[in-house]
Amino acid sequence: MYVKRLRSRRGWTQRRMAQIACVGLSTVQRIEQGADADYQENIVENLANILCDNDHERAYMSALAGNPTAALADVAAVGDIASLLEYVSPVPAAYLVNWKIAAANEQYRELMPGLSVADSLPHWMFLDGRSKLVMPDWQKLAADTVGSLRYSLVTADGHGAAADIVGDLIPRPEFRRIWESWIVHAQRPASATRRIWSPSMEQMVTLREALIPTASGLLVVDFPT
């Protein structure tokens, strides 16, 4: 009923909406009739892209499809996260959203040179030579990252940030070699110890990296050991 209401607001027929959203006409008819079905996430996303005017309507449509997301008020603003990261200094910390560093404090930027301005964490690992200089265990971390990308790709039904990253990096022989090994990582350890060569300190440091989930991303905190 809600989808029908949004469609009527735009003055579209069912056929027109199906064409624009790239979904089957029968699917649109079942949705509007309220038929129970396990609709794929990309179908709901396509409909939301053409019907919804704001994030509130998107969240409501997702909830109707059986995929409730966090309430909009529960998603922290990047500016608030950035302030929090500065507050925890001198501990290196960053905010990771869709594989990209959205905010980082000065200590983290020094620890991982170039990462905060890279297109994504995987882009930095495979395209920025500094990643190998600061991470002596680069091979293992690269394999973990690619395995996590593979899992993210299938859970997003081949769409989203993971798909864009894989598309960008698959022509790179080093990335493709690991990708074609079919390694999979469904979940990184919540807390893991890693060795990092600190350019500013000019010595190897051992850190315990904690990944703290938020409504819209991950807080990455590197505690000294």
Side-chain angles (χ1 to χ4, degrees), residues 1-9 14 17 27-36 39 47 51 60-61 64-65:
M1 191 68 180
Y2 185 65
V3 172
K4 182 178 180 179
R5 189 179 188 89
L6 294 179
R7 175 175 63 79
S8 298
R9 182 173 68 186
Q14 289 181 338
M17 186 175 76
T27 298
V28 172
Q29 293 171 340
R30 290 199 306 273
I31 291 175
E32 291 197 355
Q33 292 167 1
D36 292 334
Y39 299 111
L47 290 173
L51 293 174
Y60 184 63
M61 182 176 289
L64 288 175

Side-chain angles (χ1 to χ4, degrees), residues 195-211:
R195 297 183 302 147
I196 299 291
W197 170 260
S198 171
S200 60
M201 299 173 61
E202 296 187 346
Q203 66 179 27
M204 196 75 70
V205 296
T206 301
L207 302 169
R208 181 174 59 84
E209 184 175 79
L211 303 179

Side-chain angles (χ1 to χ4, degrees), residues 3 18 29 56 87-88 97 127 154 178 198:
V3 172
Q29 293 171 340
H56 300 273
Y87 184 79
V88 302
V97 180
L127 302 182
V154 72
I178 301 176
S198 171

Side-chain angles (χ1 to χ4, degrees), residues 3 15 33 47 57 86-87 89 94 109 122 129 132 139 144 156 158 164 176 187 202 206 212 216 224:
V3 172
R15 186 176 300 278
Q33 292 167 1
L47 290 173
E57 292 181 349
E86 294 301 330
Y87 184 79
S89 297
R109 292 192 296 269
K132 293 182 179 179
Q139 288 288 348
D144 290 348
D164 293 338
R176 187 169 61 250
Q187 183 178 12
E202 296 187 346
T206 301
I212 305 170
S216 56

Side-chain angles (χ1 to χ4, degrees), residues 81-98:
I81 295 292
S83 298
L84 173 63
L85 300 181
E86 294 301 330
Y87 184 79
V88 302
S89 297
V91 176
Y95 185 42
L96 186 68
V97 180
N98 290 330

Side-chain angles (χ1 to χ4, degrees), residues 3-198:
V3 172
K4 182 178 180 179
R5 189 179 188 89
L6 294 179
R7 175 175 63 79
S8 298
R9 182 173 68 186
R10 299 186 182 279
W12 291 341
T13 63
Q14 289 181 338
R15 186 176 300 278
R16 177 59 175 160
M17 186 175 76
Q19 290 174 341
I20 297 175
C22 299
V23 301
L25 176 60
S26 61
T27 298
V28 172
Q29 293 171 340
R30 290 199 306 273
I31 291 175
E32 291 197 355
Q33 292 167 1
D36 292 334
D38 185 16
Y39 299 111
Q40 294 181 351
E41 184 176 345
N42 66 304
I43 291 177
V44 178
E45 183 178 351
N46 287 353
L47 290 173
N49 285 339
I50 68 167
L51 293 174
C52 298
D53 290 333
N54 53 57
D55 289 340
H56 300 273
E57 292 181 349
R58 285 175 172 274
Y60 184 63
M61 182 176 289
S62 180
L64 288 175
N67 298 302
T69 58
L72 297 180
D74 293 338
V75 179
V78 173
D80 291 337
I81 295 292
S83 298
L84 173 63
L85 300 181
E86 294 301 330
Y87 184 79
V88 302
S89 297
V91 176
Y95 185 42
L96 186 68
V97 180
N98 290 330
W99 295 94
K100 181 179 176 62
I101 298 296
N105 61 17
E106 180 180 355
Q107 289 76 16
Y108 191 89
R109 292 192 296 269
E110 289 181 354
L111 193 67
M112 303 291 185
L115 176 53
S116 62
V117 295
D119 289 339
S120 72
L121 171 60
H123 280 92
W124 178 75
M125 291 194 68
F126 287 93
L127 302 182
D128 192 328
R130 289 173 291 184
S131 66
K132 293 182 179 179
L133 294 177
V134 301
M135 296 190 298
D137 302 318
W138 184 91
Q139 288 288 348
K140 180 183 183 306
L141 295 174
D144 290 348
T145 299
V146 173
S148 297
L149 267 176
R150 182 179 295 281
Y151 185 77
S152 295
L153 188 64
V154 72
T155 56
D157 198 27
H159 296 76
D164 293 338
I165 293 169
V166 173
D168 283 348
L169 296 181
I170 200 66
R172 303 282 175 165
E174 198 163 28
F175 177 88
R176 187 169 61 250
R177 174 182 57 81
I178 301 176
W179 181 259
E180 291 178 350
S181 71
W182 283 89
I183 189 169
V184 176
H185 280 275
Q187 183 178 12
R188 285 186 59 186
S191 181
T193 300
R194 64 169 56 187
R195 297 183 302 147
I196 299 291
W197 170 260
S198 171

